[in-house]
Amino acid sequence: RNVLKNPGFEQGLSNWLVAQGTGNYTVDNTVTHSGNNSIKGVFVNANLGRLYQNVTGNLTPGKKYRISGWIKQEGVQYAPRIGLDYVTGSGLIPGDGSVFELYGGWGTWDWQYFQSDWFTLPSMPADATALVFSIGGFDPLTSGTAWFDDVSLEELPAQLPGVAPGAWLWNVKVLNQYGYGYESWIINGINFASLGQDGVPGTGDEANIISMSLGGGAKEVGDPMSQAVNLAVDRGVTVVVAAGNSGSGMSTVGTPGVAEKVITVGASAKNDTLASFSSRGPTLDGRIKPDILAPGVNIISSVTTNPSAVINDPSGYKSLSGTSMATPHVAGAAALLRQYYGGNATPQFIKDNLMSNSKDLGYNVYQQGGGRLDLTRALSQKVGVTPASLSLGRFTAANTTASA
């Protein structure tokens, strides 16, 4: 939640005060990022001023917060700022960056979005008189013109635990902000995650599990991405891949979900029915895919609060559907199996365990694989089979014989 009042300046300067110099802040309804208004600040040497809101009592020390906002500037000699400060002394002069602050830059640019990481609010110092959120110039060297819009001071919402909340997440970005990219980018990311920073497998700096909520179209076995994920499994990494959202036709599982050694995940609904969009097998060379189903319909997922992102929500959470939502359930289950069984939890062991102990939903093997994920059973079963599924390939007239 944004704790600021009038953060988009739709009510002009209502709820905002000026401190440290007189400054020159005006409401501008011609240059805006969104809505009807922005705030224009003209800075000339020491005549800075800062707009601020006193948020004392609205924030709780020990909780996590972050600050953000949009800045446009022309001819700026020094960086305009957005900051959160504990103010000390008798005068209310915000701007020392005692908690956290973001800066723009030199020169001229169009609207840019600035956002801090989540930070923990420290306890209020004994000599502090207030906690304030402020925008404006940086110091007396600042000159130029800056516009501010849609500023935010957010409190981290109560977090919703995932399947394996204690797992360490390593984000390897392989697609652009719109969700697209080259296969070479993805392959480089797979290799980086499975080798680690030293480029050598099995040295402890690589990922234990790769979760891939992405994919391309259906391809024959042996395509480059499938080769990359199979190689990652050979290096000892469990790879979990979304089947795709191209159902309900046959042979719609995409790459690298068609790879033999990965765990390919289709989607089920919360009432244990197969999601209509979930891609089906067999692969183009006749193998069983997907390997397993997991919940993927109306799943609450964490998303960015950045309003310029394709998928975002001010709360940090959003209800989404797709095999991309099902895949992290299985990746989390793989993490818990690895924690429970230790070094015995090889990629093949994890795949066999999850498939063998899944719940049969009554669909054929090309729709559900082994069935819907059942982690409770997977952690308690003492006897299993390997491999959990066996594909004999496609038989044609060329490899059959007939007798009179």
Side-chain angles (χ1 to χ4, degrees):
R1 66 183 181 94
N2 191 349
V3 303
L4 299 178
K5 298 177 180 179
N6 190 26
F9 308 105
E10 298 305 301
Q11 291 80 47
L13 288 171
S14 175
N15 300 114
W16 292 93
L17 301 172
V18 179
Q20 190 170 332
T22 58
N24 184 11
Y25 291 95
T26 57
V27 178
D28 192 333
N29 59 14
T30 62
V31 180
T32 66
H33 169 257
S34 66
N36 299 320
N37 296 329
S38 69
I39 292 298
K40 177 181 179 180
V42 179
F43 311 115
V44 181
N45 296 326
N47 194 20
L48 289 176
R50 287 193 175 93
L51 289 180
Y52 75 92
Q53 285 190 29
N54 190 330
V55 294
T56 307
N58 295 340
L59 279 66
T60 304
K63 286 192 173 183
K64 291 185 178 294
Y65 298 87
R66 69 178 172 192
I67 57 178
S68 62
W70 290 85
I71 300 176
K72 171 183 168 66
Q73 58 186 52
E74 290 182 358
V76 171
Q77 180 183 348
Y78 217 97
R81 74 183 291 278
I82 304 173
L84 183 66
D85 314 284
Y86 278 125
V87 180
T88 58
S90 58
L92 193 60
I93 306 177
D96 62 0
S98 61
V99 178
F100 209 98
E101 55 192 346
L102 296 170
Y103 300 103
W106 293 47
T108 298
W109 60 37
D110 205 350
W111 289 107
Q112 289 198 27
Y113 182 71
F114 294 86
Q115 183 181 72
S116 73
D117 294 328
W118 293 104
F119 58 85
T120 302
L121 182 68
S123 298
M124 192 166 184
D127 59 344
T129 57
L131 176 64
V132 300
F133 178 94
S134 65
I135 62 176
F138 171 65
D139 63 18
L141 295 178
T142 303
S143 63
T145 303
W147 289 261
F148 301 87
D149 202 355
D150 296 321
V151 294
S152 177
L153 172 58
E154 299 172 272
E155 179 180 308
L156 182 67
Q159 292 178 293
L160 302 176
V163 178
W168 182 63
L169 297 179
W170 184 10
N171 296 315
V172 179
K173 182 176 175 64
V174 297
L175 301 176
N176 64 19
Q177 62 181 323
Y178 305 108
Y180 297 98
Y182 294 105
E183 287 190 4
S184 60
W185 298 354
I186 301 171
I187 292 170
N188 286 338
I190 295 166
N191 286 331
F192 181 70
S194 61
L195 293 174
Q197 296 185 3
D198 64 3
V200 180
T203 57
D205 66 341
E206 60 281 321
N208 302 120
I209 297 158
I210 297 176
S211 180
M212 299 182 65
S213 289
L214 53 80
K219 293 186 178 181
E220 292 283 357
V221 64
D223 71 276
M225 282 206 294
S226 292
Q227 291 184 52
V229 291
N230 279 337
L231 180 57
V233 175
D234 290 340
R235 292 168 177 161
V237 180
T238 300
V239 182
V240 186
V241 184
N245 303 324
S246 300
S248 56
M250 293 183 65
S251 299
T252 52
V253 174
T255 184
V258 296
E260 301 96 319
K261 299 178 182 181
V262 305
I263 304 174
T264 305
V265 186
S268 62
K270 296 176 183 178
N271 62 354
D272 271 347
T273 58
L274 180 66
S276 61
F277 56 77
S278 188
S279 290
R280 273 74 157 170
T283 61
L284 295 179
D285 60 336
R287 290 176 293 106
I288 295 172
K289 288 289 178 178
D291 298 304
I292 198 169
L293 300 179
V297 178
N298 297 328
I299 303 300
I300 301 297
S301 175
S302 57
V303 297
T304 180
T305 59
N306 183 347
S308 65
V310 176
I311 299 176
N312 70 86
D313 193 271
S315 70
Y317 296 97
K318 196 174 185 71
S319 177
L320 300 167
S321 297
T323 56
S324 289
M325 296 295 102
T327 299
H329 285 89
V330 177
L336 293 177
L337 285 179
R338 185 177 176 85
Q339 178 187 33
Y340 188 77
Y341 289 105
N344 293 323
T346 64
Q348 187 64 53
F349 174 87
I350 291 173
K351 182 176 182 178
D352 291 339
N353 187 308
L354 293 178
M355 290 184 65
S356 299
N357 294 306
S358 58
K359 179 182 178 181
D360 183 3
L361 300 186
Y363 297 94
N364 69 53
V365 71
Y366 299 127
Q367 295 172 313
Q368 69 169 13
R372 193 260 294 151
L373 175 70
D374 187 341
L375 184 56
T376 301
R377 185 179 175 188
L379 290 170
S380 60
Q381 190 76 295
K382 302 302 181 183
V383 178
V385 296
T386 186
S389 66
L390 183 63
S391 296
L392 300 178
R394 180 180 291 125
F395 286 87
T396 64
N399 51 26
T400 60
T401 58
S403 59

